[in-house]
Coordinates of all heavy atoms in Angstrom, one line a residue:
Chain W
V100 N -15.1 26.9 -8.3 CA -14.1 26.5 -9.3 C -12.8 26.3 -8.6 O -12.3 27.2 -8.0 CB -14.0 27.5 -10.4 CG1 -13.0 27.1 -11.5 CG2 -15.3 27.8 -11.1
L101 N -12.2 25.0 -8.7 CA -11.0 24.7 -8.0 C -10.0 24.2 -9.0 O -10.4 23.9 -10.2 CB -11.3 23.5 -7.0 CG -12.4 23.7 -6.0 CD1 -12.9 22.4 -5.5 CD2 -12.0 24.6 -4.9
D102 N -8.7 24.1 -8.6 CA -7.8 23.4 -9.5 C -7.5 22.1 -8.8 O -8.0 21.8 -7.8 CB -6.6 24.2 -9.9 CG -5.6 24.4 -8.7 OD1 -5.7 23.6 -7.7 OD2 -4.6 25.1 -8.9
E103 N -6.7 21.3 -9.5 CA -6.5 19.9 -9.0 C -5.8 19.8 -7.7 O -5.8 18.8 -7.0 CB -5.7 19.1 -10.1 CG -6.5 18.8 -11.3 CD -5.7 18.2 -12.5 OE1 -4.7 18.9 -12.8 OE2 -6.0 17.2 -13.0
T104 N -5.2 20.9 -7.2 CA -4.5 20.9 -5.9 C -5.5 21.3 -4.8 O -5.2 21.4 -3.7 CB -3.3 21.8 -5.8 OG1 -3.8 23.2 -5.9 CG2 -2.3 21.6 -7.0
G105 N -6.8 21.7 -5.2 CA -7.8 22.1 -4.3 C -7.8 23.6 -4.0 O -8.7 24.1 -3.3
R106 N -7.0 24.3 -4.7 CA -7.1 25.8 -4.6 C -8.3 26.3 -5.3 O -8.5 25.9 -6.5 CB -5.8 26.4 -5.2 CG -4.5 26.2 -4.4 CD -3.4 27.0 -5.0 NE -2.9 26.3 -6.2 CZ -1.6 26.0 -6.4 NH1 -0.7 26.4 -5.5 NH2 -1.2 25.4 -7.5
G107 N -8.9 27.3 -4.8 CA -10.0 28.0 -5.5 C -9.4 28.8 -6.6 O -8.3 29.3 -6.5
V108 N -10.1 28.9 -7.7 CA -9.6 29.7 -8.8 C -10.4 31.0 -8.8 O -11.6 31.1 -9.1 CB -9.9 29.0 -10.2 CG1 -9.3 29.9 -11.3 CG2 -9.2 27.6 -10.2
P109 N -9.8 32.1 -8.3 CA -10.5 33.3 -8.1 C -10.7 34.1 -9.4 O -9.9 34.0 -10.3 CB -9.6 34.1 -7.1 CG -8.2 33.6 -7.5 CD -8.4 32.2 -7.9
N110 N -11.7 34.9 -9.4 CA -11.9 35.9 -10.5 C -11.9 35.4 -11.9 O -11.4 36.0 -12.8 CB -10.8 37.0 -10.3 CG -11.3 38.3 -10.9 OD1 -12.4 38.8 -10.6 ND2 -10.5 38.9 -11.7
T111 N -12.4 34.2 -12.0 CA -12.4 33.6 -13.4 C -13.8 33.6 -13.9 O -14.8 33.6 -13.2 CB -11.8 32.2 -13.4 OG1 -11.4 31.8 -14.7 CG2 -12.8 31.1 -12.8
L112 N -13.9 33.7 -15.2 CA -15.2 33.8 -15.9 C -15.9 32.4 -16.1 O -15.3 31.5 -16.6 CB -15.1 34.5 -17.2 CG -16.4 34.8 -17.9 CD1 -17.2 35.9 -17.2 CD2 -16.1 35.3 -19.4
V113 N -17.1 32.3 -15.6 CA -18.0 31.1 -15.8 C -19.2 31.5 -16.6 O -19.8 32.5 -16.3 CB -18.4 30.5 -14.4 CG1 -19.2 29.2 -14.7 CG2 -17.2 30.2 -13.5
E114 N -19.4 30.8 -17.7 CA -20.6 31.1 -18.6 C -21.4 29.9 -18.6 O -20.9 28.8 -18.5 CB -20.1 31.5 -20.0 CG -19.2 32.8 -20.0 CD -18.5 33.0 -21.3 OE1 -17.5 32.2 -21.6 OE2 -18.8 33.9 -22.1
F115 N -22.7 30.1 -18.8 CA -23.6 28.9 -18.8 C -24.8 29.2 -19.7 O -25.2 30.3 -19.9 CB -24.1 28.6 -17.3 CG -24.1 29.8 -16.4 CD1 -25.1 30.6 -16.3 CD2 -23.0 30.0 -15.6 CE1 -25.1 31.7 -15.5 CE2 -22.9 31.1 -14.7 CZ -24.0 32.0 -14.7
W116 N -25.3 28.1 -20.3 CA -26.5 28.2 -21.1 C -27.3 27.0 -21.1 O -26.8 25.9 -20.8 CB -26.1 28.6 -22.6 CG -25.4 27.6 -23.4 CD1 -25.9 26.8 -24.3 CD2 -23.9 27.3 -23.3 NE1 -24.9 26.0 -24.9 CE2 -23.7 26.3 -24.3 CE3 -22.9 27.8 -22.6 CZ2 -22.4 25.8 -24.5 CZ3 -21.6 27.3 -22.8 CH2 -21.4 26.3 -23.8
Q117 N -28.6 27.1 -21.4 CA -29.5 25.9 -21.2 C -30.8 26.1 -22.0 O -31.1 27.2 -22.4 CB -29.8 25.8 -19.7 CG -30.5 27.0 -19.2 CD -31.1 26.8 -17.8 OE1 -30.4 27.2 -16.8 NE2 -32.3 26.3 -17.7
A118 N -31.5 25.0 -22.1 CA -32.9 25.1 -22.6 C -33.8 25.6 -21.5 O -33.5 25.7 -20.4 CB -33.3 23.7 -23.1
N119 N -35.1 25.9 -21.9 CA -36.1 26.3 -20.9 C -36.7 25.1 -20.3 O -36.3 23.9 -20.5 CB -37.1 27.3 -21.6 CG -38.0 26.6 -22.6 OD1 -38.2 25.3 -22.6 ND2 -38.6 27.3 -23.5
A120 N -37.7 25.3 -19.5 CA -38.3 24.2 -18.7 C -38.9 23.1 -19.6 O -39.0 21.9 -19.2 CB -39.4 24.7 -17.7
G121 N -39.2 23.4 -20.8 CA -39.8 22.4 -21.7 C -38.7 21.8 -22.7 O -39.1 21.1 -23.6
G122 N -37.5 22.1 -22.5 CA -36.4 21.5 -23.3 C -36.2 22.3 -24.6 O -35.6 21.8 -25.5
R123 N -36.7 23.5 -24.7 CA -36.6 24.3 -26.0 C -35.5 25.4 -25.8 O -35.5 26.1 -24.8 CB -37.9 25.0 -26.4 CG -37.8 25.9 -27.6 CD -37.6 25.1 -28.9 NE -37.5 26.1 -30.0 CZ -38.5 26.5 -30.7 NH1 -39.8 26.2 -30.4 NH2 -38.3 27.4 -31.7
Y124 N -34.6 25.4 -26.7 CA -33.5 26.4 -26.7 C -34.0 27.7 -27.5 O -34.6 27.6 -28.5 CB -32.3 25.9 -27.4 CG -31.4 25.0 -26.6 CD1 -31.5 23.6 -26.8 CD2 -30.5 25.5 -25.6 CE1 -30.7 22.7 -26.0 CE2 -29.8 24.6 -24.9 CZ -29.8 23.2 -25.1 OH -29.1 22.4 -24.3
R125 N -33.6 28.8 -27.0 CA -33.8 30.1 -27.7 C -32.6 30.2 -28.7 O -31.6 30.9 -28.5 CB -33.8 31.3 -26.7 CG -34.1 32.6 -27.4 CD -34.2 33.7 -26.4 NE -35.5 33.6 -25.6 CZ -36.7 34.0 -26.1 NH1 -36.8 34.6 -27.3 NH2 -37.7 33.9 -25.3
H126 N -32.7 29.5 -29.8 CA -31.7 29.5 -30.8 C -32.4 29.3 -32.2 O -33.2 28.4 -32.3 CB -30.7 28.3 -30.6 CG -29.4 28.4 -31.4 ND1 -29.5 28.2 -32.8 CD2 -28.1 28.7 -31.1 CE1 -28.2 28.4 -33.3 NE2 -27.4 28.6 -32.2

Side-chain angles (χ1 to χ4, degrees):
Chain W
V100 180
L101 306 162
D102 76 9
E103 289 167 307
T104 70
R106 287 183 284 229
V108 181
N110 205 47
T111 200
L112 186 66
V113 182
E114 299 165 289
F115 23 86
W116 69 100
Q117 62 169 94
N119 68 22
R123 175 72 184 270
Y124 281 101
R125 183 176 288 279
H126 191 292

